[in-house]
Amino acid sequence: MAFNLGLSGAVMLLLAWNVIIYLLQQVVPLRAVIPTEIGSISISAITYYLGLRPSAVLEDGWVWQLVTYMFLHGSFMHILFNMLALWMFGAQIEGDWGTREFVKYYFFTGIGAGLTTVLVFPHQFFPTVGASGAIYGLLLAYGVCYPNRPIFLYFLFPIPAKYFVIIFGAIELFAGFTGTRSGVAH
């Protein structure tokens, strides 16, 4: 009998690419310097070129950042929780919708979150990273498709998916529009 983690084609590839690029962020020693009003900031060159910098998209035409920022993460906990959510919600959605529709939706929500960041914070100098925009898109789809299915908050408290989506959506919208946890995709 084979052990099945519930991983399907696109979810497995997205997990793998996110982990590979996160590891590259950690080991590639190249740095980039961002000048700011309060002094210069040194960041990973990978984050500089692939993270979402609204000014680079608007002024320099670096539109690839609307996709590549989704594969970068700011910390181990950031990637851990994003990939856990991708597995928990994405595998079910991909199984129901099929790989092609799942991938289109994943990138539509991730790029949409990136475009929102560019429009709302056009002068943000620090790169935004993370798959959170796409992950919250998956969470929304899961809540719509399975509104009464329980999701265990902190692995202990069962909450129907529809309420879980509302609670976490509100938290992320607040964090995104107030600048709380800046640099993280909301």
Side-chain angles (χ1 to χ4, degrees):
M1 181 191 288
F3 183 68
N4 182 359
L5 293 173
L7 292 174
S8 51
V11 169
M12 189 166 48
L13 285 173
L14 287 168
L15 287 168
W17 277 110
N18 275 278
V19 169
I20 289 166
I21 295 189
Y22 176 75
L23 292 174
L24 284 173
Q25 277 181 277
Q26 305 310 305
V27 299
V28 172
L30 299 173
R31 307 291 294 169
V33 176
I34 300 175
T36 71
E37 294 126 8
I38 58 171
S40 297
I41 298 172
S42 175
I43 63 170
S44 157
I46 290 174
T47 302
Y48 179 80
Y49 289 106
L50 301 181
L52 179 59
R53 292 183 303 116
S55 61
V57 172
L58 293 171
E59 297 166 17
D60 303 326
W62 292 15
V63 294
W64 65 81
Q65 292 182 346
L66 292 166
V67 174
T68 57
Y69 87 99
M70 292 187 282
F71 293 93
L72 304 175
H73 288 84
S75 69
F76 177 75
M77 295 306 286
H78 186 200
I79 191 170
L80 177 68
F81 283 109
N82 272 347
M83 297 305 100
L84 179 63
L86 174 59
W87 167 69
M88 285 173 55
F89 306 116
Q92 180 71 59
I93 299 297
E94 183 180 2
D96 291 348
W97 293 1
T99 298
R100 173 173 273 183
E101 291 304 311
F102 168 79
V103 169
K104 286 192 314 192
Y105 181 77
Y106 183 86
F107 282 100
F108 177 78
T109 56
I111 293 168
L115 286 170
T116 302
T117 298
V118 169
L119 294 173
V120 174
F121 302 107
H123 303 293
Q124 178 179 306
F125 61 88
F126 197 77
T128 294
V129 296
S132 300
I135 297 301
Y136 276 91
L138 292 178
L139 181 59
L140 175 62
Y142 190 87
V144 169
C145 292
Y146 307 102
N148 296 314
R149 189 173 285 177
I151 297 174
F152 287 86
L153 181 63
Y154 303 115
F155 303 103
L156 296 173
F157 309 106
I159 298 176
K162 60 187 170 193
Y163 300 127
F164 188 88
V165 168
I166 292 168
I167 292 166
F168 276 83
I171 290 169
E172 285 301 303
L173 279 175
F174 176 78
F177 284 109
T178 62
T180 308
R181 295 182 352 195
S182 65
V184 174
H186 296 285

